[in-house]
Amino acid sequence: MGQKAKEKQEEASYESQLRELQIQLVKLQNSLISNGDQIVVILEGRDTAGKDGSIKAITQNLSPRETRVVALGKPSDTESAEWYFQRYVSQLPKKGEIVLFNRSWYNRAGVERVMNFCTKDQYKTFMDTVNDFESILVRSGITLIKYYLDISKKEQAQRLKDREDDPLKQWKISPIDQQAQKYWNAYSKCRNEMLEKTSPQDAPWTIVRANDKKLAHLNLIRDLLSKVTYPGKAKDLLKADKEIAFQWDGKLTKLEK
């Protein structure tokens, strides 16, 4: 089989698997609407790790009325003076909604800390209170699912270059992204501390190895669907590859250096 034929076959297989999983997502949403449940999905990760693509794969065939993607920008002066979680609380799902955070309150544990956008006291307060905040959400009935997309330094460098070369991806380039390689080790340190301190039993992190975007999409969705209950659940479709999507267990050796 030639290379092009192989690539075509692999693409067809991916699209077929993705379609089956998206059918399951629609079933989940129907149940969500009927029961008035609320789901929050947090996607964090390295710059260029594929959060946008993962969110698109999840939401592509869902009802836009009951699905929201939240990607908040820099806080205003007023927001900066408020309780840190306040602007995120206003974005939480209503009954029957699923909300996906493309980056979240964990900005404070990552980019804000690395780039000195917050003080040491602000960072410490966040780390001391975030588990309690999330526990309140879970106890109030919100299903909270947290993903960290992890990629290698080499893969990130290639993706940053691809963005520079592709005129359709120019909007994705930001000054922060351009510093990602320079501050790679600092981001690793912050990631490790975040995972170690903010993965309680009621709101654990799931790591997704995302060097291969398509495998990341498929296994993230499988893992997501396996974590929730809904009628018509096809459990045989929802077995994620544990080498790609796995719950954080405290072992730093499983993460990209």
Side-chain angles (χ1 to χ4, degrees):
M1 182 184 295
Q3 183 61 29
K4 286 188 177 180
K6 184 179 178 181
E7 289 175 358
K8 188 174 181 180
Q9 186 181 64
E10 288 175 351
E11 179 65 22
S13 175
Y14 167 72
E15 293 294 342
S16 174
Q17 292 179 73
L18 181 60
R19 174 178 167 77
E20 292 298 323
L21 292 172
Q22 288 176 336
I23 290 171
Q24 293 293 304
L25 285 166
V26 171
K27 290 181 180 181
L28 167 60
Q29 184 168 61
N30 288 337
S31 174
L32 198 70
I33 295 168
S34 296
N35 297 325
D37 295 330
Q38 300 157 280
I39 295 179
V40 169
V41 180
I42 286 176
L43 286 100
E44 294 286 343
R46 300 277 192 179
D47 292 322
T48 76
K51 294 177 290 296
D52 292 327
S54 295
I55 289 172
K56 182 179 179 181
I58 294 168
T59 62
Q60 189 173 10
N61 291 291
L62 296 182
S63 165
R65 287 194 299 272
E66 287 84 17
T67 309
R68 281 191 293 121
V69 177
V70 177
L72 299 183
K74 180 181 177 181
S76 66
D77 291 342
T78 300
E79 289 172 330
S80 295
E82 295 172 343
W83 176 47
Y84 177 71
F85 293 105
Q86 190 160 329
R87 71 185 189 132
Y88 294 103
V89 168
S90 65
Q91 299 293 335
L92 292 174
K94 302 177 180 64
K95 294 292 185 181
E97 268 193 329
I98 179 171
V99 171
L100 300 99
F101 281 91
N102 186 346
R103 296 200 182 278
S104 65
W105 43 85
Y106 283 101
N107 274 340
R108 181 136 293 177
V111 65
E112 289 191 21
R113 187 185 183 199
V114 172
M115 304 304 291
N116 293 315
F117 293 158
C118 67
T119 67
K120 290 182 180 179
D121 284 344
Q122 287 173 327
Y123 169 75
K124 184 178 186 304
T125 298
F126 171 80
M127 295 296 281
D128 287 345
T129 60
V130 64
N131 288 343
D132 290 336
F133 170 69
E134 292 179 353
S135 182
I136 291 171
L137 299 184
V138 173
R139 289 166 64 187
S140 72
I142 292 175
T143 298
L144 177 61
I145 305 172
K146 304 185 321 197
Y147 291 102
Y148 186 90
L149 276 61
D150 207 31
I151 58 173
S152 68
K153 188 175 184 180
K154 180 179 179 181
E155 179 65 20
Q156 184 186 69
Q158 183 60 53
R159 292 184 187 183
L160 287 168
K161 184 178 184 303
D162 290 344
R163 286 184 180 182
E164 292 176 358
D165 295 342
D166 188 342
L168 296 178
K169 295 182 179 179
Q170 295 295 306
W171 63 274
K172 287 190 173 186
I173 301 174
S174 74
I176 298 298
D177 289 345
Q178 291 171 334
Q179 299 293 315
Q181 290 273 290
K182 178 181 177 181
Y183 292 102
W184 178 269
N185 290 337
Y187 275 112
S188 294
K189 182 176 183 295
C190 289
R191 173 203 62 189
N192 296 348
E193 187 168 340
M194 179 188 80
L195 293 173
E196 287 175 334
K197 294 185 177 181
T198 66
S199 193
Q201 188 172 356
D202 57 355
W205 284 101
T206 295
I207 311 302
V208 179
R209 290 192 170 118
N211 281 344
D212 185 311
K213 292 181 181 180
K214 292 176 181 177
L215 287 179
H217 296 167
L218 295 175
N219 284 282
L220 190 156
I221 296 174
R222 287 175 186 137
D223 183 85
L224 170 60
L225 289 165
S226 73
K227 285 179 162 65
V228 290
T229 302
Y230 59 93
K233 186 172 183 176
K235 294 182 180 179
D236 58 316
L237 297 177
L238 309 182
K239 296 177 182 177
D241 183 340
K242 296 305 180 183
E243 290 298 313
I244 297 175
F246 54 92
Q247 187 166 310
W248 165 250
D249 61 2
K251 296 180 181 178
L252 297 175
T253 55
K254 290 186 176 183
L255 301 174
E256 293 288 351
K257 298 294 189 289

